[in-house]
Amino acid sequence: MSTTIVTDSTAYLPEGFAERHGVRVVPLHVAVDGRSRLDGVDFGPAELAAALGEHRRVTTSRPTPGELAEVYRSVLAGGAEEIVSVHLSRDLSGTWEAARLAAEEVDPARIRVVDSRATGMGLGFAALAACAAGGDGRCAEEAAVAAAGRVKMFFCVETLDHLRRGGRIGAAAALVGTALAVKPLLHVDDGRIVPLEKVRTMGRAIARLVDLAASAAGSGPVGLAVHHLAAPDRAAELATLLDERVPGSTGCLISEVGAVIGAHTGPGVLGVVVLPGGVS
């Protein structure tokens, strides 16, 4: 069966990955001072960092069910027999719900919608696992769900202000107001962003991200990715440390986040995504 994988722009797949694997990416919406843009299409990380640096108002919203339905119709008309549509956690966005509504409208028998319970490459790895399974004749939906269930995500931010203002931190609000120079470490737990611990410096935060990722990875094959916004040198340092520390790594991917994630974390964010077992 010919299966096409659809995901959304918050997967932040490295450049060229979507085209190489035949993944259709649906952009989320970004508004800067009320002017609408599309995440990753006409508004990328550089524009986001500049807007946040100028203290402009950046807001985000899901794609509409109609936009997703248009993509689904196009994919099916192009010859796909089945669609597996994998999206960021429903606890972080309404994108999964929009995809579900679109699937019901277009062809619920041939479109499966998966909540990755993650974002960034946590979502990206689930989409790539679905691609690999579909290419091998295995169930792409089951592969996406299985990969999503194995993913671990850890990240640190310069400040919690962006997460607090965006209403994305939930219990992590308890960390707001801590002493200056404290770097909060957080992780994604069952689709929600929750606090993990606090460290005093960014250097210590990087070391802890490596420790956490190495522990989560184990000794077998593993997929690794580093995310950042406007911190390429730190991201490269972190990726190098991970490759040295994690025995199953075959090369850590680096991808800069765009507006939908970056608007809620702010510049300077560093994140690690770990997929024990790798994409298979």
Side-chain angles (χ1 to χ4, degrees):
M1 176 179 289
S2 172
T3 304
T4 294
I5 309 306
V6 175
T7 190
D8 60 69
S9 59
T10 70
Y12 298 123
L13 294 165
E15 186 174 354
F17 268 50
E19 294 82 1
R20 187 184 315 164
H21 295 278
V23 178
R24 289 289 297 269
V25 179
V26 180
L28 272 72
H29 295 263
V30 183
V32 181
D33 295 335
R35 182 182 175 188
S36 181
R37 309 283 185 86
L38 292 175
D39 185 32
V41 177
D42 57 5
F43 194 79
E47 292 82 5
L48 172 65
L52 294 175
E54 296 166 2
H55 303 289
R56 299 171 69 185
R57 184 169 181 265
V58 180
T59 59
T60 63
S61 59
R62 71 179 191 178
T64 67
E67 288 168 333
L68 283 151
E70 182 178 351
V71 170
Y72 295 158
R73 290 191 179 97
S74 171
V75 168
L76 294 174
E81 298 172 87
E82 175 188 66
I83 294 172
V84 176
S85 198
V86 192
H87 298 285
L88 80 160
S89 170
R90 74 183 79 175
D91 288 318
L92 299 176
S93 167
T95 303
W96 176 89
E97 176 65 15
R100 187 188 65 78
L101 292 172
E104 288 183 358
E105 175 187 335
V106 175
D107 192 338
R110 292 200 288 165
I111 305 171
R112 299 286 184 263
V113 180
V114 176
D115 178 358
S116 72
R117 309 303 294 154
T119 188
M121 277 300 295
L123 164 59
F125 279 138
L128 293 177
C131 287
D136 293 342
R138 295 178 286 123
C139 178
E141 179 184 9
E142 289 180 0
V145 171
R150 300 196 309 272
V151 161
K152 304 293 182 184
M153 298 183 63
F154 309 97
F155 66 102
C156 64
V157 293
E158 291 281 3
T159 172
L160 282 166
D161 286 346
H162 297 285
L163 282 164
R164 176 178 54 82
R165 286 198 296 267
R168 294 302 196 277
I169 55 173
L175 294 176
V176 175
T178 52
L180 292 176
V182 167
K183 305 302 178 188
L185 288 172
L186 305 100
H187 68 138
V188 177
D189 181 25
D190 191 28
R192 299 184 181 187
I193 297 171
V194 295
L196 195 58
E197 58 188 72
K198 295 168 282 187
V199 296
R200 285 290 178 182
T201 67
M202 185 55 73
R204 181 57 182 156
I206 290 174
R208 283 297 294 143
L209 287 174
V210 173
D211 289 344
L212 291 163
S215 177
S219 59
V222 63
L224 288 174
V226 165
H227 287 304
H228 73 97
L229 177 60
D233 293 341
R234 285 178 177 171
E237 175 189 358
L238 178 54
T240 298
L241 292 170
L242 288 166
D243 281 334
E244 293 172 350
R245 179 76 176 276
V246 179
S249 174
T250 56
C252 183
L253 304 173
I254 300 177
S255 176
E256 191 166 16
V257 299
V260 173
I261 301 304
H264 296 293
T265 59
V269 62
L270 281 177
V272 179
V273 183
V274 183
L275 179 63
V279 174
S280 59

